[in-house]
């Protein structure tokens, strides 16, 4: 934590935030690097600045794994238990034309339910505890959010890009697996960016635009390259 320059985070151009669950008042708290452009449903959540070491620990305080964190006499635990991806009020908080316009949303998955394997011991079983709920809740939240984008009025005409990663990636806590995860994540991101740039070349058309939802169907060549990278990672892991 001491190596993190939180002052630089406060000056960063992108709006950066993470959430934590207020165990005293039973509401979601968004810690951000600056004031939220437009606060939605103040009674349902609270907004705090800045991001610091304690708030970062609070957002990672998964019960049984890490202890709760107290900030200003309020106790917090991980917010992903309640809202994994913070989609619920994203448009209300960050899309306020003409002053603040949200044009693109990129969805980068860090866990997939297909990646959760049968546990071989107590360590694996404990890892599955957080991985499985995070994966399934996150997948459901993405589906619900895309439904609202498609069906709610007024229509939002922005772009949603999904970075897809093949399932069956292990979660072994070692350096070689971390390296493989970075390699596979880079390959998946490059495939999504390629699809994004291909969309830019299309004639203007009404949105919302969903890019890279099903790469195994719409970008067989690009998706095969990602799968080839996955196989290379597996070979390194087995060597």
């Amino acid at each position: 934590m001491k190596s993190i320059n939180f002052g630089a985070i406060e000056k960063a151009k992108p709006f950066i935030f993470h959430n934590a669950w207020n165990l005293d008042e039973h509401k979601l708290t968004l810690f951000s690097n600056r004031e939220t452009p437009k606060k939605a449903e103040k009674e349902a959540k609270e907004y705090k600045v800045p991001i610091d070491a304690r708030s970062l620990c609070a957002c990672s305080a998964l019960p049984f794994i890490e202890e709760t964190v107290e900030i200003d006499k309020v106790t917090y635990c991980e917010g992903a238990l309640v809202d994994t991806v913070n989609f619920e009020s994203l448009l209300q908080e960050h899309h306020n034309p003409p002053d603040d316009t949200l044009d693109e949303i990129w969805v980068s998955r860090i866990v997939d339910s297909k990646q959760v394997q049968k546990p071989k011991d107590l360590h694996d079983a404990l890892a599955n505890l957080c991985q499985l709920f995070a994966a399934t809740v996150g997948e459901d939240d993405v589906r619900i959010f895309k439904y609202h984008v498609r069906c709610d009025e007024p229509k939002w005409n922005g772009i949603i890009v999904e970075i897809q990663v093949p399932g069956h990636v292990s979660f072994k806590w070692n350096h070689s697996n971390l390296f493989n995860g970075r390699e596979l994540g880079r390959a998946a991101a490059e495939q999504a960016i390629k699809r994004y740039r291909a969309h830019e070349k299309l004639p203007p058309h009404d949105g919302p635009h969903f890019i890279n939802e099903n790469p195994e169907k719409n970008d067989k060549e690009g998706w095969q390259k990602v799968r080839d990278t996955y196989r290379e990672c597996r070979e390194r892991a087995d060597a």
Side-chain angles (χ1 to χ4, degrees):
M1 284 295 180
K2 292 180 180 179
S3 67
I4 299 175
N5 184 349
F6 288 100
I9 294 176
E10 293 178 33
K11 299 175 183 178
K13 183 177 180 180
F15 182 83
I16 302 170
F17 69 95
H18 59 74
N19 67 16
W21 180 247
N22 180 331
L23 285 164
D24 293 297
E25 300 179 24
H26 300 102
K27 63 168 60 176
L28 202 65
T29 301
L30 297 185
F31 292 91
S32 56
N33 61 331
R34 60 176 179 272
E35 290 292 338
T36 305
K38 182 182 178 183
K39 297 179 181 180
E41 298 183 16
K42 294 181 181 180
E43 70 282 354
K45 63 178 67 172
E46 61 183 349
Y47 302 80
K48 288 184 175 292
V49 292
I51 291 174
D52 58 21
R54 295 193 67 80
S55 73
L56 203 57
C57 288
C59 84
S60 305
L62 182 66
F64 189 71
I65 307 299
E66 297 182 21
E67 66 178 332
T68 55
V69 176
E70 184 176 300
I71 301 175
D72 297 330
K73 298 183 179 180
V74 176
T75 302
Y76 296 93
C77 68
E78 180 176 334
L81 292 166
V82 180
D83 190 348
T84 307
V85 290
N86 285 288
F87 278 149
E88 183 179 6
S89 55
L90 180 62
L91 296 181
Q92 294 96 318
E93 291 167 343
H94 297 279
H95 186 60
N96 186 28
D99 301 323
D100 241 337
T101 302
L102 181 64
D103 299 315
E104 299 177 6
I105 298 170
W106 288 65
V107 181
S108 178
R109 302 177 189 274
I110 60 173
V111 62
D112 186 285
S113 57
K114 295 187 292 295
Q115 296 169 341
V116 180
Q117 308 296 318
K118 291 189 298 182
K120 297 179 180 178
D121 49 36
L122 185 60
H123 172 274
D124 288 353
L126 186 59
N128 283 358
L129 171 68
C130 55
Q131 291 165 3
L132 189 55
F133 97 80
T136 55
V137 173
E139 290 163 6
D140 289 343
D141 280 355
V142 170
R143 282 194 289 266
I144 292 171
F145 178 70
K146 290 196 292 187
Y147 167 81
H148 284 293
V149 169
R150 284 186 170 103
C151 301
D152 287 359
E153 296 290 344
K155 286 287 187 182
W156 177 69
N157 291 319
I159 294 172
I160 295 179
V161 186
E162 294 186 68
I163 300 175
Q164 307 281 0
V165 177
H168 309 297
V169 177
S170 74
F171 286 97
K172 294 297 182 182
W173 291 84
N174 53 50
H175 286 288
S176 61
N177 199 47
L178 176 62
F179 175 82
N180 286 341
R182 288 171 174 168
E183 289 295 301
L184 184 57
R186 182 184 297 110
E190 289 173 349
Q191 182 270 328
I193 292 170
K194 185 177 179 180
R195 295 293 298 169
Y196 171 76
R197 289 174 175 166
H199 182 271
E200 285 184 316
K201 297 177 182 178
L202 297 176
H205 53 290
D206 293 334
H209 309 285
F210 297 88
I211 300 174
N212 212 41
E213 274 192 292
N214 300 296
E216 66 278 7
K217 295 180 181 179
N218 302 323
D219 184 20
K220 292 183 179 180
E221 181 181 350
W223 188 240
Q224 186 59 49
K225 289 182 179 179
V226 178
R227 292 177 63 87
D228 290 342
T229 302
Y230 166 66
R231 275 194 289 271
E232 292 171 6
C233 291
R234 284 297 302 270
E235 290 171 1
R236 277 197 298 265
D238 295 338

